[in-house]
Amino acid sequence: MGANVGELTKTNADARHFADVMQRLFAVPANQVRVMTNAHVAEFAAGMEWLRQSARSGDLVLIFFSGHGSTIEDDNGDEADGLDEVFVMYDVQETDYPSAQQVVRDDQFAAWVKQLPTNRVITFIDACHSGGLSKSLTNGRTKFFLGGALGRSPQHGWQQKTFPLNKSPSDPLDGAKGLIYAAAQENEFALEASDGGLFVTRFFFFFCQAQNERLSNVFSKTQGVVRQETGGRQTPTAMGDTRLGETLKLTTDAH
C-alpha cells in the first residue's frame, strides 16, 4: 500500500516497486498480489480480510506500507502515554480535519494480523512518528503527519514519536505476530528521498543483488547504508520473530 498524503509523492511508486520485485523473486501468481495506491482505510481493511481468507497455514505473507505515520489519542487505555500509533491513509487527504476515521490504529492492525492463519508474516513499514531533527537529505521529506486530531498529545501538545513506538523487539505493534521491518527507530525521522522512501529503496538495492543470502543479511546492509546516508539519524529496525529473516534465504536474482 501507498498513500501520497500531504507532501509525499513517492509512496505509490514504492508500493508498485515492492509488489513487482517480490512477485518476480518469489514467483508469486498475480492473483495472490494486491497493490493499493492512495489506499483508504476501507481498502486496508478489505485487503487484510482478503489475506485472512486466502492464506493457508505455513504460507509466507508479505505486507507493505509506505506513507505517513502519526499518533492519535488512545481509545482503549492500553497505552501508557495515552496515544495510539497509526497508519495515515489517503482518507486524510480528503478531509479538512483528520481524525480516527481516516487512519488505521496499531491495535487494529495487530488484530488483523493475528487473524491470519499463518505465523510467517513479514510487515515492511516505511513511515515514521518523529520530530525534532533537521532534514538530512536534499529534497528529503519526513513521513510524519501533523494535523487535525493526528500527532497531538492530549496532555503535552504535539507529540514526537516514531512508528512503531514503545514496543519491545519481542512485542511490536501490540503483539502483532511475525516479523516487522520498520524504517526508523523511536525519535527518528523516516525520510522520503527523490527516488522513494529511503528505507525501501536502499533495501531493494541490496535485495535485488542477493544470491544465496538470508533476508536478515539484506536488512543489515540496508540498516548500515541508511544510517550512513543520514549521519546516524535514521536507523531501520527489525522487531518480532527475527527468525523469519534468518531462515528465509534468497537464491534467485530479482533483476
Side-chain angles (χ1 to χ4, degrees):
M1 292 170 288
N4 280 340
V5 174
E7 75 282 8
L8 299 183
T9 63
K10 302 297 183 181
T11 70
N12 294 328
D14 289 344
R16 295 188 190 99
H17 189 198
F18 182 90
D20 179 60
V21 173
M22 291 296 187
Q23 184 175 359
R24 287 188 284 117
L25 183 63
F26 292 112
V28 183
N31 65 358
Q32 294 182 20
V33 180
R34 276 196 174 185
V35 179
M36 304 177 196
T37 56
N38 288 337
H40 290 73
V41 172
E43 291 174 299
F44 198 147
M48 294 302 295
E49 175 61 17
W50 170 74
L51 276 176
R52 187 187 68 81
Q53 295 183 16
S54 302
R56 299 291 180 265
S57 178
D59 281 354
L60 176 64
V61 171
L62 303 174
I63 301 170
F64 175 79
F65 176 80
S66 179
H68 278 301
S70 194
T71 55
I72 196 166
E73 188 171 355
D74 179 23
D75 65 344
N76 62 4
D78 68 336
E79 299 282 356
D81 60 3
L83 294 169
D84 278 330
E85 295 75 56
V86 299
F87 297 84
V88 177
M89 308 310 297
Y90 197 71
D91 310 64
V92 166
Q93 196 74 5
E94 302 168 341
T95 182
D96 293 331
Y97 190 88
S99 66
Q101 284 66 50
Q102 287 83 44
V103 299
V104 172
R105 295 177 186 264
D106 57 346
D107 300 327
Q108 180 61 75
F109 177 69
W112 284 334
V113 172
K114 287 178 181 178
Q115 291 174 357
L116 299 180
T118 177
N119 290 324
R120 301 179 70 223
V121 181
I122 304 178
T123 303
F124 295 79
I125 304 173
D126 200 328
C128 80
H129 292 252
S130 59
L133 297 176
S134 61
K135 297 178 182 179
S136 58
L137 294 179
T138 302
N139 299 320
R141 293 171 291 275
T142 63
K143 306 184 80 173
F144 176 58
F145 186 86
L146 299 173
L150 305 184
R152 186 182 295 275
S153 166
Q155 293 85 22
H156 304 106
W158 296 114
Q159 187 76 4
Q160 299 176 2
K161 300 177 69 173
T162 301
F163 191 105
L165 166 88
N166 289 344
K167 316 297 179 191
S168 69
S170 61
D171 187 31
L173 284 180
D174 292 333
K177 65 183 176 182
L179 171 63
I180 294 176
Y181 284 138
Q185 292 185 343
E186 186 175 354
N187 299 322
E188 291 181 341
F189 278 135
L191 295 178
E192 180 183 88
S194 59
D195 54 348
L198 184 64
F199 166 62
V200 70
T201 55
R202 279 41 174 181
F203 177 82
F204 275 125
F205 174 80
F206 295 110
F207 189 85
C208 291
Q209 296 178 345
Q211 290 281 358
N212 198 32
E213 189 168 6
R214 291 180 176 85
L215 185 64
S216 59
N217 292 342
V218 174
F219 175 78
S220 294
K221 291 179 180 179
T222 304
Q223 186 181 60
V225 76
V226 170
R227 280 185 56 81
Q228 181 180 17
E229 288 191 48
T230 62
R233 289 178 285 182
Q234 179 178 339
T235 307
T237 185
M239 298 175 293
D241 186 3
T242 55
R243 294 171 299 176
L244 278 174
E246 294 164 359
T247 58
L248 188 60
K249 185 171 288 189
L250 310 173
T251 59
T252 304
D253 194 332
H255 286 298

